[in-house]
Amino acid sequence: MKFLFLLIVGFILFLISKNYKTEKFVNINLKMKEEFDGDLMQHEAGLLVALMAKVAKADGQVSELEAQLIKHTLGDISRHFKNEEEIREKLKEIYNKEKSSFDNTIEVCKNLYNLTSNNYEKRVKIMEYLLNLAFIDGDFSNTELMITEDISNALKIKRVDFERLVNAFEMFYKKQKENESLSLDKAYEVLEASKEDDNNTIKKKYRSLVKRHHPDIIAGQGASQNIIDEATTKLQEINQAYELIKKSRGI
C-alpha cells in the first residue's frame, strides 16, 4: 500500500485532464500522512517528479496544460507528508533541476524500478501518468516518444503494454480533436476577449481569469470540494482556450 495514493492521484488527474467528473472519488481517504526527512531522490515521490520533469521538457518547452498538471501533482504529493511545505519546496527543486538534463534519466528509472520491482501494475500506472503528461497538450512529439520509450524500457514495462497505452492516448486525442467543441470563437468567449484584442491584452485577460478560477485560491477561501472541482474544470477550459488562441496567432 506504500505510496498507493500516487496512483490514485495520477488517475484522478488523468480523468480531470479529460473533463470527466470526479465526484465519485470524494470519499478517498488521503489523510494518512507520511513522515519523511531523507533524500527524496530515494523516494518514489522525488523519482516520479524527476521523470515528470524529463517528459515535460522533452520537446524543449513546457506548455500551460503541462505546467498546470505538474503544479497540481506537486501539491497533491506534498499533502501526503506531515512536513508538507518542506516537501513541496524540495519537489520543486527536484523538478527544476531534473528538467535541465536528460543524462541521468535511466539512472532515475533504475532507482524507481528498485522501489517498485515487486509491483508491475504500479509501474504501468506510472507509465500511464507520464504518457498522459506527454499527450496533454495534444501533441505527442518524436522526442516525447523517444524519452517515454526509454523510461518504459528502463522500468521493464512490456512493449505490448507500452504500445497499448500510446495507442489508447492517440485514439482518445484523435477523437477529441474530431469532436472539438471549443472553436476559436468560443475560445475568445471563454477568455472574455475579442479577436480585435492585441496579444498583450489577451495575455492580461488570461492571467486575470487564472487568478479568479485557480483551485488553490478557491480552496484557500474555504470553498467546498465540489466548487474546487468546478474551478479545476473551468481552469482547464481557460488554458485550452488560451492555447488555441496562441496557436491561431502563432505566439
Side-chain angles (χ1 to χ4, degrees), residues 184-197:
L184 193 56
D185 288 339
K186 177 64 176 177
Y188 280 105
E189 181 183 329
V190 168
L191 288 193
E192 300 176 6
S194 70
K195 293 181 179 179
E196 287 70 38
D197 290 335

Side-chain angles (χ1 to χ4, degrees), residues 30-36 78-84:
L30 297 180
K31 293 182 180 179
M32 294 179 61
K33 292 183 178 285
E34 178 181 347
E35 186 170 0
F36 186 82
S78 61
R79 279 192 287 272
H80 179 71
F81 294 86
K82 291 181 179 179
N83 50 336
E84 178 180 334

Side-chain angles (χ1 to χ4, degrees), residues 17-34:
S17 73
K18 293 171 172 49
N19 288 325
Y20 291 158
K21 297 291 185 181
T22 58
E23 283 82 0
K24 60 185 176 182
F25 295 102
V26 297
N27 293 322
I28 289 178
N29 184 1
L30 297 180
K31 293 182 180 179
M32 294 179 61
K33 292 183 178 285
E34 178 181 347

Side-chain angles (χ1 to χ4, degrees), residues 34-88:
E34 178 181 347
E35 186 170 0
F36 186 82
D37 59 2
D39 182 1
L40 279 172
M41 287 299 286
Q42 301 300 320
H43 191 287
E44 288 179 37
L47 295 170
L48 174 61
V49 169
L51 292 181
M52 286 167 52
K54 313 292 188 188
V55 172
K57 200 63 183 294
D59 55 3
Q61 58 183 358
V62 180
S63 72
E64 295 285 351
L65 290 173
E66 288 172 327
Q68 196 62 42
L69 183 58
I70 289 165
K71 183 175 182 179
H72 280 296
T73 304
L74 295 185
D76 286 327
I77 291 175
S78 61
R79 279 192 287 272
H80 179 71
F81 294 86
K82 291 181 179 179
N83 50 336
E84 178 180 334
E85 293 302 321
E86 179 185 359
I87 293 295
R88 184 181 179 87

Side-chain angles (χ1 to χ4, degrees), residues 56-178:
K57 200 63 183 294
D59 55 3
Q61 58 183 358
V62 180
S63 72
E64 295 285 351
L65 290 173
E66 288 172 327
Q68 196 62 42
L69 183 58
I70 289 165
K71 183 175 182 179
H72 280 296
T73 304
L74 295 185
D76 286 327
I77 291 175
S78 61
R79 279 192 287 272
H80 179 71
F81 294 86
K82 291 181 179 179
N83 50 336
E84 178 180 334
E85 293 302 321
E86 179 185 359
I87 293 295
R88 184 181 179 87
E89 290 305 311
K90 287 183 177 179
L91 290 175
K92 283 182 182 178
E93 291 174 7
I94 289 174
Y95 174 79
N96 290 327
K97 177 183 178 181
E98 296 299 326
K99 71 179 182 180
S100 65
S101 173
F102 300 101
D103 294 343
N104 66 334
T105 302
I106 301 304
E107 179 184 351
V108 171
C109 291
K110 287 180 178 178
N111 290 338
L112 183 55
Y113 175 80
N114 289 337
L115 295 176
T116 60
S117 59
N118 62 344
N119 195 333
Y120 180 75
E121 183 180 351
K122 175 182 283 191
R123 298 199 307 280
V124 171
K125 209 65 183 175
I126 290 172
M127 195 70 243
E128 183 178 18
Y129 180 74
L130 293 173
L131 283 169
N132 180 44
L133 178 62
F135 270 94
I136 198 169
D137 60 358
D139 180 28
F140 188 52
S141 66
N142 287 332
T143 52
E144 287 173 321
L145 171 60
M146 287 189 290
I147 194 166
T148 52
E149 276 185 325
D150 288 344
I151 292 172
S152 179
N153 291 333
L155 291 179
K156 300 186 180 180
I157 305 295
K158 298 174 184 176
R159 183 69 188 182
V160 65
D161 288 329
F162 177 76
E163 291 179 350
R164 172 179 57 80
L165 291 173
V166 171
N167 290 337
F169 279 112
E170 286 178 340
M171 290 299 294
F172 174 82
Y173 281 99
K174 180 181 179 181
K175 184 176 180 180
Q176 186 183 59
K177 189 173 182 179
E178 291 172 351

